[in-house]
Amino acid sequence: MTRTVMALWVGSVAVVVGLVAVIGSVGRAVPAEPIPVTPAGSPGTGPVVAFYGDSYTLGTGASSPEHRWSTLLSIEHGWTEVNPSVNGLGFVNHRADVSEDLVDQVIAARPDIVIVTMGLNDNFSMPARADRIRSAITADFTRISEALPVARVIVVEPFWYTDDRPGSVQQIIEWVSAGAAAIDADYIPGASHWLDGHPEWKARDGLHPNDEGYRVLADRMDEALRSLGI
């Protein structure tokens, strides 16, 4: 399958130190130096794997896209990677800012496997948009399941970027988990804690993983996927 080249939108936002200040003032987490716009993934001879995610799946903070966890796994497994992930995107947050909806892009790729890693950025709209976030999770998962009935859908617990966390993180995790169960998708728990206690795994912006951090995410994800038989 020919890999699809997708436009990656990168914005900028002021980052305020301190979790409370971040939640109150930041709509998305973006890098100090955005990674360059590149083809959306890596070609392979194995299954087509589509990734639906935000900056942590786009690879923001990595020295190059080849070091993001999705591409590391795709190369190691021989997958054809389709990765239209976008900085700052959530189930609700910044959806109107993307010219082509990511769910549509994932469906258009006709993947064998879909890996969903969304939810981090929606915390910045809690609790004001709680009902919309919960509804959007259901709507996105239902669209993917109905449009790709043969694809294996794997939903990952939303990533998080600090050891401290507001209560909204657990709330969104529960909604994502319930949404996965509703469409009989596989679910990988624990991902919000995978970088806990290791500031050395963060890029200079203090928000995103660096190359070492993405290697850790790749290893943890690979372990979880292997437990699912992938």
PDB file of all heavy atoms in Angstrom, residues 91 118-120 122-123 126 133-134 137 141 155-160 165-181 187-193:
ATOM      1  N   PHE A  91     -10.214  14.610  21.710  1.00  0.00           N
ATOM      2  CA  PHE A  91     -11.502  14.163  21.193  1.00  0.00           C
ATOM      3  C   PHE A  91     -12.378  15.377  20.892  1.00  0.00           C
ATOM      4  O   PHE A  91     -13.186  15.360  19.965  1.00  0.00           O
ATOM      5  CB  PHE A  91     -12.191  13.243  22.199  1.00  0.00           C
ATOM      6  CG  PHE A  91     -11.538  11.902  22.334  1.00  0.00           C
ATOM      7  CD1 PHE A  91     -10.760  11.596  23.440  1.00  0.00           C
ATOM      8  CD2 PHE A  91     -11.696  10.938  21.355  1.00  0.00           C
ATOM      9  CE1 PHE A  91     -10.158  10.346  23.576  1.00  0.00           C
ATOM     10  CE2 PHE A  91     -11.099   9.690  21.467  1.00  0.00           C
ATOM     11  CZ  PHE A  91     -10.322   9.393  22.588  1.00  0.00           C
ATOM     12  N   MET A 118      -5.591   8.903  22.298  1.00  0.00           N
ATOM     13  CA  MET A 118      -6.137  10.250  22.471  1.00  0.00           C
ATOM     14  C   MET A 118      -6.625  10.490  23.890  1.00  0.00           C
ATOM     15  O   MET A 118      -6.934   9.549  24.621  1.00  0.00           O
ATOM     16  CB  MET A 118      -7.297  10.450  21.498  1.00  0.00           C
ATOM     17  CG  MET A 118      -6.880  10.530  20.052  1.00  0.00           C
ATOM     18  SD  MET A 118      -6.265  12.168  19.628  1.00  0.00           S
ATOM     19  CE  MET A 118      -7.812  13.053  19.559  1.00  0.00           C
ATOM     20  N   GLY A 119      -6.749  11.783  24.249  1.00  0.00           N
ATOM     21  CA  GLY A 119      -7.384  12.149  25.506  1.00  0.00           C
ATOM     22  C   GLY A 119      -6.610  13.123  26.361  1.00  0.00           C
ATOM     23  O   GLY A 119      -7.193  13.833  27.180  1.00  0.00           O
ATOM     24  N   LEU A 120      -5.277  13.180  26.189  1.00  0.00           N
ATOM     25  CA  LEU A 120      -4.472  14.061  27.039  1.00  0.00           C
ATOM     26  C   LEU A 120      -4.963  15.501  26.973  1.00  0.00           C
ATOM     27  O   LEU A 120      -5.205  16.138  28.013  1.00  0.00           O
ATOM     28  CB  LEU A 120      -2.999  13.968  26.620  1.00  0.00           C
ATOM     29  CG  LEU A 120      -1.951  14.729  27.438  1.00  0.00           C
ATOM     30  CD1 LEU A 120      -0.572  14.107  27.218  1.00  0.00           C
ATOM     31  CD2 LEU A 120      -1.870  16.212  27.120  1.00  0.00           C
ATOM     32  N   ASP A 122      -7.725  16.889  26.141  1.00  0.00           N
ATOM     33  CA  ASP A 122      -9.083  17.204  26.590  1.00  0.00           C
ATOM     34  C   ASP A 122      -9.129  17.594  28.057  1.00  0.00           C
ATOM     35  O   ASP A 122     -10.095  18.231  28.508  1.00  0.00           O
ATOM     36  CB  ASP A 122     -10.014  16.013  26.325  1.00  0.00           C
ATOM     37  CG  ASP A 122     -10.208  15.771  24.839  1.00  0.00           C
ATOM     38  OD1 ASP A 122     -10.704  16.682  24.152  1.00  0.00           O
ATOM     39  OD2 ASP A 122      -9.845  14.686  24.360  1.00  0.00           O
ATOM     40  N   ASN A 123      -8.091  17.244  28.811  1.00  0.00           N
ATOM     41  CA  ASN A 123      -8.041  17.652  30.214  1.00  0.00           C
ATOM     42  C   ASN A 123      -8.077  19.162  30.365  1.00  0.00           C
ATOM     43  O   ASN A 123      -8.557  19.682  31.374  1.00  0.00           O
ATOM     44  CB  ASN A 123      -6.776  17.101  30.880  1.00  0.00           C
ATOM     45  CG  ASN A 123      -6.871  15.626  31.168  1.00  0.00           C
ATOM     46  OD1 ASN A 123      -7.424  15.223  32.180  1.00  0.00           O
ATOM     47  ND2 ASN A 123      -6.328  14.806  30.275  1.00  0.00           N
ATOM     48  N   MET A 126     -11.651  20.449  30.769  1.00  0.00           N
ATOM     49  CA  MET A 126     -12.457  19.915  31.863  1.00  0.00           C
ATOM     50  C   MET A 126     -12.557  20.934  33.000  1.00  0.00           C
ATOM     51  O   MET A 126     -11.591  21.661  33.268  1.00  0.00           O
ATOM     52  CB  MET A 126     -11.834  18.626  32.374  1.00  0.00           C
ATOM     53  CG  MET A 126     -11.973  17.462  31.412  1.00  0.00           C
ATOM     54  SD  MET A 126     -13.645  16.775  31.403  1.00  0.00           S
ATOM     55  CE  MET A 126     -13.643  15.870  32.952  1.00  0.00           C
ATOM     56  N   ILE A 133     -16.873  15.920  25.650  1.00  0.00           N
ATOM     57  CA  ILE A 133     -15.738  14.998  25.552  1.00  0.00           C
ATOM     58  C   ILE A 133     -16.224  13.558  25.625  1.00  0.00           C
ATOM     59  O   ILE A 133     -15.840  12.713  24.792  1.00  0.00           O
ATOM     60  CB  ILE A 133     -14.716  15.295  26.667  1.00  0.00           C
ATOM     61  CG1 ILE A 133     -14.068  16.668  26.437  1.00  0.00           C
ATOM     62  CG2 ILE A 133     -13.645  14.198  26.731  1.00  0.00           C
ATOM     63  CD1 ILE A 133     -13.291  17.189  27.632  1.00  0.00           C
ATOM     64  N   ARG A 134     -17.068  13.279  26.577  1.00  0.00           N
ATOM     65  CA  ARG A 134     -17.570  11.901  26.721  1.00  0.00           C
ATOM     66  C   ARG A 134     -18.343  11.473  25.466  1.00  0.00           C
ATOM     67  O   ARG A 134     -18.161  10.354  24.968  1.00  0.00           O
ATOM     68  CB  ARG A 134     -18.469  11.813  27.949  1.00  0.00           C
ATOM     69  CG  ARG A 134     -18.895  10.404  28.299  1.00  0.00           C
ATOM     70  CD  ARG A 134     -19.640  10.365  29.607  1.00  0.00           C
ATOM     71  NE  ARG A 134     -19.879   9.011  30.057  1.00  0.00           N
ATOM     72  CZ  ARG A 134     -20.468   8.700  31.198  1.00  0.00           C
ATOM     73  NH1 ARG A 134     -20.850   9.675  32.030  1.00  0.00           N
ATOM     74  NH2 ARG A 134     -20.653   7.435  31.540  1.00  0.00           N
ATOM     75  N   ILE A 137     -15.882  10.799  22.506  1.00  0.00           N
ATOM     76  CA  ILE A 137     -15.200   9.504  22.617  1.00  0.00           C
ATOM     77  C   ILE A 137     -16.089   8.410  22.037  1.00  0.00           C
ATOM     78  O   ILE A 137     -15.657   7.599  21.206  1.00  0.00           O
ATOM     79  CB  ILE A 137     -14.840   9.208  24.083  1.00  0.00           C
ATOM     80  CG1 ILE A 137     -13.766  10.173  24.582  1.00  0.00           C
ATOM     81  CG2 ILE A 137     -14.378   7.752  24.242  1.00  0.00           C
ATOM     82  CD1 ILE A 137     -13.543  10.135  26.082  1.00  0.00           C
ATOM     83  N   PHE A 141     -15.181   6.335  18.485  1.00  0.00           N
ATOM     84  CA  PHE A 141     -14.988   4.890  18.537  1.00  0.00           C
ATOM     85  C   PHE A 141     -16.044   4.167  17.708  1.00  0.00           C
ATOM     86  O   PHE A 141     -15.746   3.171  17.037  1.00  0.00           O
ATOM     87  CB  PHE A 141     -15.024   4.399  19.985  1.00  0.00           C
ATOM     88  CG  PHE A 141     -13.810   4.785  20.797  1.00  0.00           C
ATOM     89  CD1 PHE A 141     -12.779   5.531  20.250  1.00  0.00           C
ATOM     90  CD2 PHE A 141     -13.712   4.417  22.123  1.00  0.00           C
ATOM     91  CE1 PHE A 141     -11.671   5.893  20.999  1.00  0.00           C
ATOM     92  CE2 PHE A 141     -12.606   4.753  22.889  1.00  0.00           C
ATOM     93  CZ  PHE A 141     -11.582   5.497  22.324  1.00  0.00           C
ATOM     94  N   VAL A 155      -7.186   0.490  21.868  1.00  0.00           N
ATOM     95  CA  VAL A 155      -7.299   1.785  22.536  1.00  0.00           C
ATOM     96  C   VAL A 155      -6.318   1.808  23.709  1.00  0.00           C
ATOM     97  O   VAL A 155      -6.291   0.888  24.530  1.00  0.00           O
ATOM     98  CB  VAL A 155      -8.733   2.030  23.028  1.00  0.00           C
ATOM     99  CG1 VAL A 155      -8.828   3.355  23.784  1.00  0.00           C
ATOM    100  CG2 VAL A 155      -9.713   2.017  21.850  1.00  0.00           C
ATOM    101  N   VAL A 156      -5.512   2.860  23.752  1.00  0.00           N
ATOM    102  CA  VAL A 156      -4.483   2.992  24.789  1.00  0.00           C
ATOM    103  C   VAL A 156      -4.926   4.044  25.810  1.00  0.00           C
ATOM    104  O   VAL A 156      -5.461   5.095  25.441  1.00  0.00           O
ATOM    105  CB  VAL A 156      -3.138   3.416  24.158  1.00  0.00           C
ATOM    106  CG1 VAL A 156      -2.050   3.544  25.221  1.00  0.00           C
ATOM    107  CG2 VAL A 156      -2.720   2.427  23.074  1.00  0.00           C
ATOM    108  N   GLU A 157      -4.726   3.741  27.081  1.00  0.00           N
ATOM    109  CA  GLU A 157      -4.978   4.744  28.118  1.00  0.00           C
ATOM    110  C   GLU A 157      -4.296   6.051  27.731  1.00  0.00           C
ATOM    111  O   GLU A 157      -3.135   6.043  27.323  1.00  0.00           O
ATOM    112  CB  GLU A 157      -4.432   4.248  29.454  1.00  0.00           C
ATOM    113  CG  GLU A 157      -4.580   5.255  30.594  1.00  0.00           C
ATOM    114  CD  GLU A 157      -4.017   4.715  31.904  1.00  0.00           C
ATOM    115  OE1 GLU A 157      -4.558   3.716  32.407  1.00  0.00           O
ATOM    116  OE2 GLU A 157      -3.023   5.287  32.397  1.00  0.00           O
ATOM    117  N   PRO A 158      -4.996   7.189  27.821  1.00  0.00           N
ATOM    118  CA  PRO A 158      -4.380   8.463  27.420  1.00  0.00           C
ATOM    119  C   PRO A 158      -3.057   8.719  28.149  1.00  0.00           C
ATOM    120  O   PRO A 158      -2.926   8.461  29.342  1.00  0.00           O
ATOM    121  CB  PRO A 158      -5.438   9.499  27.814  1.00  0.00           C
ATOM    122  CG  PRO A 158      -6.728   8.755  27.773  1.00  0.00           C
ATOM    123  CD  PRO A 158      -6.399   7.363  28.225  1.00  0.00           C
ATOM    124  N   PHE A 159      -2.086   9.220  27.396  1.00  0.00           N
ATOM    125  CA  PHE A 159      -0.811   9.608  27.997  1.00  0.00           C
ATOM    126  C   PHE A 159      -1.018  10.817  28.912  1.00  0.00           C
ATOM    127  O   PHE A 159      -1.991  11.554  28.804  1.00  0.00           O
ATOM    128  CB  PHE A 159       0.205   9.983  26.914  1.00  0.00           C
ATOM    129  CG  PHE A 159       0.594   8.844  26.008  1.00  0.00           C
ATOM    130  CD1 PHE A 159       0.449   8.946  24.633  1.00  0.00           C
ATOM    131  CD2 PHE A 159       1.122   7.672  26.537  1.00  0.00           C
ATOM    132  CE1 PHE A 159       0.825   7.899  23.789  1.00  0.00           C
ATOM    133  CE2 PHE A 159       1.504   6.617  25.705  1.00  0.00           C
ATOM    134  CZ  PHE A 159       1.348   6.742  24.326  1.00  0.00           C
ATOM    135  N   TRP A 160      -0.050  11.019  29.819  1.00  0.00           N
ATOM    136  CA  TRP A 160      -0.012  12.239  30.634  1.00  0.00           C
ATOM    137  C   TRP A 160       1.442  12.631  30.799  1.00  0.00           C
ATOM    138  O   TRP A 160       2.338  11.803  30.626  1.00  0.00           O
ATOM    139  CB  TRP A 160      -0.705  12.049  31.981  1.00  0.00           C
ATOM    140  CG  TRP A 160      -0.882  13.329  32.748  1.00  0.00           C
ATOM    141  CD1 TRP A 160      -0.318  13.665  33.941  1.00  0.00           C
ATOM    142  CD2 TRP A 160      -1.668  14.463  32.355  1.00  0.00           C
ATOM    143  NE1 TRP A 160      -0.706  14.929  34.327  1.00  0.00           N
ATOM    144  CE2 TRP A 160      -1.532  15.446  33.357  1.00  0.00           C
ATOM    145  CE3 TRP A 160      -2.459  14.744  31.242  1.00  0.00           C
ATOM    146  CZ2 TRP A 160      -2.155  16.687  33.288  1.00  0.00           C
ATOM    147  CZ3 TRP A 160      -3.091  15.979  31.171  1.00  0.00           C
ATOM    148  CH2 TRP A 160      -2.944  16.930  32.193  1.00  0.00           C
ATOM    149  N   ARG A 165      -1.228  15.057  38.702  1.00  0.00           N
ATOM    150  CA  ARG A 165      -2.311  15.052  37.730  1.00  0.00           C
ATOM    151  C   ARG A 165      -3.608  15.524  38.371  1.00  0.00           C
ATOM    152  O   ARG A 165      -3.878  15.232  39.534  1.00  0.00           O
ATOM    153  CB  ARG A 165      -2.508  13.645  37.157  1.00  0.00           C
ATOM    154  CG  ARG A 165      -2.763  12.582  38.212  1.00  0.00           C
ATOM    155  CD  ARG A 165      -2.754  11.184  37.606  1.00  0.00           C
ATOM    156  NE  ARG A 165      -1.490  10.904  36.976  1.00  0.00           N
ATOM    157  CZ  ARG A 165      -1.332  10.029  35.986  1.00  0.00           C
ATOM    158  NH1 ARG A 165      -2.374   9.349  35.538  1.00  0.00           N
ATOM    159  NH2 ARG A 165      -0.155   9.821  35.454  1.00  0.00           N
ATOM    160  N   PRO A 166      -4.415  16.252  37.599  1.00  0.00           N
ATOM    161  CA  PRO A 166      -5.734  16.632  38.101  1.00  0.00           C
ATOM    162  C   PRO A 166      -6.680  15.442  38.050  1.00  0.00           C
ATOM    163  O   PRO A 166      -6.408  14.439  37.369  1.00  0.00           O
ATOM    164  CB  PRO A 166      -6.176  17.717  37.111  1.00  0.00           C
ATOM    165  CG  PRO A 166      -5.509  17.333  35.833  1.00  0.00           C
ATOM    166  CD  PRO A 166      -4.176  16.761  36.232  1.00  0.00           C
ATOM    167  N   GLY A 167      -7.793  15.543  38.756  1.00  0.00           N
ATOM    168  CA  GLY A 167      -8.774  14.463  38.760  1.00  0.00           C
ATOM    169  C   GLY A 167      -9.346  14.166  37.391  1.00  0.00           C
ATOM    170  O   GLY A 167      -9.820  13.051  37.126  1.00  0.00           O
ATOM    171  N   SER A 168      -9.298  15.151  36.490  1.00  0.00           N
ATOM    172  CA  SER A 168      -9.851  14.951  35.153  1.00  0.00           C
ATOM    173  C   SER A 168      -9.117  13.864  34.377  1.00  0.00           C
ATOM    174  O   SER A 168      -9.694  13.227  33.488  1.00  0.00           O
ATOM    175  CB  SER A 168      -9.810  16.266  34.365  1.00  0.00           C
ATOM    176  OG  SER A 168      -8.475  16.720  34.209  1.00  0.00           O
ATOM    177  N   VAL A 169      -7.841  13.636  34.689  1.00  0.00           N
ATOM    178  CA  VAL A 169      -7.089  12.600  33.978  1.00  0.00           C
ATOM    179  C   VAL A 169      -7.743  11.240  34.188  1.00  0.00           C
ATOM    180  O   VAL A 169      -8.002  10.502  33.233  1.00  0.00           O
ATOM    181  CB  VAL A 169      -5.622  12.586  34.429  1.00  0.00           C
ATOM    182  CG1 VAL A 169      -4.886  11.396  33.820  1.00  0.00           C
ATOM    183  CG2 VAL A 169      -4.927  13.882  34.044  1.00  0.00           C
ATOM    184  N   GLN A 170      -8.027  10.908  35.428  1.00  0.00           N
ATOM    185  CA  GLN A 170      -8.659   9.621  35.710  1.00  0.00           C
ATOM    186  C   GLN A 170     -10.061   9.558  35.124  1.00  0.00           C
ATOM    187  O   GLN A 170     -10.493   8.500  34.632  1.00  0.00           O
ATOM    188  CB  GLN A 170      -8.697   9.356  37.217  1.00  0.00           C
ATOM    189  CG  GLN A 170      -9.247   7.986  37.587  1.00  0.00           C
ATOM    190  CD  GLN A 170      -8.452   6.843  36.975  1.00  0.00           C
ATOM    191  OE1 GLN A 170      -7.222   6.923  36.862  1.00  0.00           O
ATOM    192  NE2 GLN A 170      -9.137   5.788  36.559  1.00  0.00           N
ATOM    193  N   GLN A 171     -10.784  10.667  35.146  1.00  0.00           N
ATOM    194  CA  GLN A 171     -12.131  10.672  34.587  1.00  0.00           C
ATOM    195  C   GLN A 171     -12.110  10.360  33.097  1.00  0.00           C
ATOM    196  O   GLN A 171     -12.882   9.535  32.598  1.00  0.00           O
ATOM    197  CB  GLN A 171     -12.793  12.029  34.826  1.00  0.00           C
ATOM    198  CG  GLN A 171     -14.218  12.129  34.273  1.00  0.00           C
ATOM    199  CD  GLN A 171     -15.173  11.162  34.941  1.00  0.00           C
ATOM    200  OE1 GLN A 171     -15.671  11.419  36.031  1.00  0.00           O
ATOM    201  NE2 GLN A 171     -15.422  10.023  34.305  1.00  0.00           N
ATOM    202  N   ILE A 172     -11.208  11.012  32.371  1.00  0.00           N
ATOM    203  CA  ILE A 172     -11.121  10.772  30.930  1.00  0.00           C
ATOM    204  C   ILE A 172     -10.628   9.354  30.658  1.00  0.00           C
ATOM    205  O   ILE A 172     -11.100   8.693  29.718  1.00  0.00           O
ATOM    206  CB  ILE A 172     -10.232  11.835  30.261  1.00  0.00           C
ATOM    207  CG1 ILE A 172     -10.940  13.196  30.309  1.00  0.00           C
ATOM    208  CG2 ILE A 172      -9.912  11.456  28.814  1.00  0.00           C
ATOM    209  CD1 ILE A 172     -10.101  14.361  29.811  1.00  0.00           C
ATOM    210  N   ILE A 173      -9.695   8.867  31.456  1.00  0.00           N
ATOM    211  CA  ILE A 173      -9.247   7.479  31.316  1.00  0.00           C
ATOM    212  C   ILE A 173     -10.435   6.528  31.425  1.00  0.00           C
ATOM    213  O   ILE A 173     -10.576   5.577  30.633  1.00  0.00           O
ATOM    214  CB  ILE A 173      -8.180   7.150  32.374  1.00  0.00           C
ATOM    215  CG1 ILE A 173      -6.846   7.818  32.011  1.00  0.00           C
ATOM    216  CG2 ILE A 173      -7.986   5.635  32.518  1.00  0.00           C
ATOM    217  CD1 ILE A 173      -5.792   7.724  33.100  1.00  0.00           C
ATOM    218  N   GLU A 174     -11.296   6.771  32.388  1.00  0.00           N
ATOM    219  CA  GLU A 174     -12.464   5.889  32.571  1.00  0.00           C
ATOM    220  C   GLU A 174     -13.405   5.964  31.379  1.00  0.00           C
ATOM    221  O   GLU A 174     -13.950   4.933  30.944  1.00  0.00           O
ATOM    222  CB  GLU A 174     -13.183   6.263  33.866  1.00  0.00           C
ATOM    223  CG  GLU A 174     -12.377   5.914  35.111  1.00  0.00           C
ATOM    224  CD  GLU A 174     -13.007   6.431  36.393  1.00  0.00           C
ATOM    225  OE1 GLU A 174     -14.129   6.999  36.330  1.00  0.00           O
ATOM    226  OE2 GLU A 174     -12.379   6.275  37.462  1.00  0.00           O
ATOM    227  N   TRP A 175     -13.605   7.155  30.827  1.00  0.00           N
ATOM    228  CA  TRP A 175     -14.462   7.274  29.650  1.00  0.00           C
ATOM    229  C   TRP A 175     -13.858   6.561  28.451  1.00  0.00           C
ATOM    230  O   TRP A 175     -14.565   5.902  27.681  1.00  0.00           O
ATOM    231  CB  TRP A 175     -14.692   8.749  29.314  1.00  0.00           C
ATOM    232  CG  TRP A 175     -15.532   9.475  30.305  1.00  0.00           C
ATOM    233  CD1 TRP A 175     -16.408   8.938  31.208  1.00  0.00           C
ATOM    234  CD2 TRP A 175     -15.573  10.889  30.511  1.00  0.00           C
ATOM    235  NE1 TRP A 175     -16.986   9.932  31.964  1.00  0.00           N
ATOM    236  CE2 TRP A 175     -16.494  11.144  31.554  1.00  0.00           C
ATOM    237  CE3 TRP A 175     -14.914  11.969  29.912  1.00  0.00           C
ATOM    238  CZ2 TRP A 175     -16.783  12.433  32.000  1.00  0.00           C
ATOM    239  CZ3 TRP A 175     -15.197  13.254  30.360  1.00  0.00           C
ATOM    240  CH2 TRP A 175     -16.124  13.483  31.388  1.00  0.00           C
ATOM    241  N   VAL A 176     -12.551   6.692  28.273  1.00  0.00           N
ATOM    242  CA  VAL A 176     -11.871   6.034  27.150  1.00  0.00           C
ATOM    243  C   VAL A 176     -11.948   4.515  27.307  1.00  0.00           C
ATOM    244  O   VAL A 176     -12.226   3.789  26.344  1.00  0.00           O
ATOM    245  CB  VAL A 176     -10.418   6.513  27.050  1.00  0.00           C
ATOM    246  CG1 VAL A 176      -9.615   5.638  26.094  1.00  0.00           C
ATOM    247  CG2 VAL A 176     -10.368   7.970  26.595  1.00  0.00           C
ATOM    248  N   SER A 177     -11.713   4.024  28.509  1.00  0.00           N
ATOM    249  CA  SER A 177     -11.796   2.594  28.770  1.00  0.00           C
ATOM    250  C   SER A 177     -13.203   2.063  28.483  1.00  0.00           C
ATOM    251  O   SER A 177     -13.376   1.020  27.839  1.00  0.00           O
ATOM    252  CB  SER A 177     -11.401   2.298  30.216  1.00  0.00           C
ATOM    253  OG  SER A 177     -11.562   0.929  30.525  1.00  0.00           O
ATOM    254  N   ALA A 178     -14.205   2.788  28.956  1.00  0.00           N
ATOM    255  CA  ALA A 178     -15.591   2.372  28.720  1.00  0.00           C
ATOM    256  C   ALA A 178     -15.934   2.418  27.234  1.00  0.00           C
ATOM    257  O   ALA A 178     -16.644   1.544  26.712  1.00  0.00           O
ATOM    258  CB  ALA A 178     -16.547   3.263  29.508  1.00  0.00           C
ATOM    259  N   GLY A 179     -15.415   3.437  26.527  1.00  0.00           N
ATOM    260  CA  GLY A 179     -15.655   3.534  25.097  1.00  0.00           C
ATOM    261  C   GLY A 179     -15.043   2.374  24.343  1.00  0.00           C
ATOM    262  O   GLY A 179     -15.636   1.859  23.382  1.00  0.00           O
ATOM    263  N   ALA A 180     -13.854   1.954  24.757  1.00  0.00           N
ATOM    264  CA  ALA A 180     -13.215   0.801  24.126  1.00  0.00           C
ATOM    265  C   ALA A 180     -14.034  -0.470  24.350  1.00  0.00           C
ATOM    266  O   ALA A 180     -14.230  -1.274  23.426  1.00  0.00           O
ATOM    267  CB  ALA A 180     -11.809   0.633  24.673  1.00  0.00           C
ATOM    268  N   ALA A 181     -14.503  -0.651  25.579  1.00  0.00           N
ATOM    269  CA  ALA A 181     -15.301  -1.836  25.885  1.00  0.00           C
ATOM    270  C   ALA A 181     -16.593  -1.869  25.077  1.00  0.00           C
ATOM    271  O   ALA A 181     -17.046  -2.938  24.651  1.00  0.00           O
ATOM    272  CB  ALA A 181     -15.613  -1.877  27.380  1.00  0.00           C
ATOM    273  N   TYR A 187      -7.831  -2.986  25.015  1.00  0.00           N
ATOM    274  CA  TYR A 187      -7.498  -1.801  25.806  1.00  0.00           C
ATOM    275  C   TYR A 187      -6.173  -2.020  26.511  1.00  0.00           C
ATOM    276  O   TYR A 187      -5.938  -3.072  27.118  1.00  0.00           O
ATOM    277  CB  TYR A 187      -8.595  -1.509  26.833  1.00  0.00           C
ATOM    278  CG  TYR A 187      -8.336  -0.265  27.648  1.00  0.00           C
ATOM    279  CD1 TYR A 187      -8.480   0.997  27.078  1.00  0.00           C
ATOM    280  CD2 TYR A 187      -7.941  -0.356  28.978  1.00  0.00           C
ATOM    281  CE1 TYR A 187      -8.242   2.148  27.822  1.00  0.00           C
ATOM    282  CE2 TYR A 187      -7.711   0.793  29.727  1.00  0.00           C
ATOM    283  CZ  TYR A 187      -7.852   2.042  29.139  1.00  0.00           C
ATOM    284  OH  TYR A 187      -7.609   3.177  29.872  1.00  0.00           O
ATOM    285  N   ILE A 188      -5.281  -1.021  26.414  1.00  0.00           N
ATOM    286  CA  ILE A 188      -3.984  -1.061  27.094  1.00  0.00           C
ATOM    287  C   ILE A 188      -4.002  -0.053  28.239  1.00  0.00           C
ATOM    288  O   ILE A 188      -4.050   1.156  28.001  1.00  0.00           O
ATOM    289  CB  ILE A 188      -2.851  -0.734  26.110  1.00  0.00           C
ATOM    290  CG1 ILE A 188      -2.748  -1.836  25.042  1.00  0.00           C
ATOM    291  CG2 ILE A 188      -1.527  -0.570  26.857  1.00  0.00           C
ATOM    292  CD1 ILE A 188      -1.717  -1.555  23.964  1.00  0.00           C
ATOM    293  N   PRO A 189      -3.990  -0.515  29.482  1.00  0.00           N
ATOM    294  CA  PRO A 189      -4.003   0.394  30.629  1.00  0.00           C
ATOM    295  C   PRO A 189      -2.606   0.847  31.016  1.00  0.00           C
ATOM    296  O   PRO A 189      -1.595   0.281  30.576  1.00  0.00           O
ATOM    297  CB  PRO A 189      -4.617  -0.477  31.731  1.00  0.00           C
ATOM    298  CG  PRO A 189      -4.099  -1.858  31.415  1.00  0.00           C
ATOM    299  CD  PRO A 189      -4.051  -1.938  29.892  1.00  0.00           C
ATOM    300  N   GLY A 190      -2.555   1.886  31.857  1.00  0.00           N
ATOM    301  CA  GLY A 190      -1.307   2.279  32.500  1.00  0.00           C
ATOM    302  C   GLY A 190      -0.432   3.259  31.762  1.00  0.00           C
ATOM    303  O   GLY A 190       0.572   3.728  32.308  1.00  0.00           O
ATOM    304  N   ALA A 191      -0.778   3.614  30.516  1.00  0.00           N
ATOM    305  CA  ALA A 191       0.126   4.430  29.705  1.00  0.00           C
ATOM    306  C   ALA A 191       0.340   5.829  30.274  1.00  0.00           C
ATOM    307  O   ALA A 191       1.377   6.443  30.013  1.00  0.00           O
ATOM    308  CB  ALA A 191      -0.396   4.532  28.275  1.00  0.00           C
ATOM    309  N   SER A 192      -0.600   6.333  31.055  1.00  0.00           N
ATOM    310  CA  SER A 192      -0.425   7.669  31.627  1.00  0.00           C
ATOM    311  C   SER A 192       0.705   7.717  32.644  1.00  0.00           C
ATOM    312  O   SER A 192       1.172   8.801  33.015  1.00  0.00           O
ATOM    313  CB  SER A 192      -1.734   8.144  32.278  1.00  0.00           C
ATOM    314  OG  SER A 192      -2.040   7.381  33.434  1.00  0.00           O
ATOM    315  N   HIS A 193       1.171   6.565  33.084  1.00  0.00           N
ATOM    316  CA  HIS A 193       2.247   6.498  34.087  1.00  0.00           C
ATOM    317  C   HIS A 193       3.588   6.052  33.507  1.00  0.00           C
ATOM    318  O   HIS A 193       4.564   5.931  34.258  1.00  0.00           O
ATOM    319  CB  HIS A 193       1.848   5.525  35.207  1.00  0.00           C
ATOM    320  CG  HIS A 193       0.709   6.000  36.051  1.00  0.00           C
ATOM    321  ND1 HIS A 193       0.844   7.000  36.990  1.00  0.00           N
ATOM    322  CD2 HIS A 193      -0.595   5.605  36.089  1.00  0.00           C
ATOM    323  CE1 HIS A 193      -0.335   7.203  37.586  1.00  0.00           C
ATOM    324  NE2 HIS A 193      -1.211   6.377  37.061  1.00  0.00           N
TER     325      HIS A 193
END
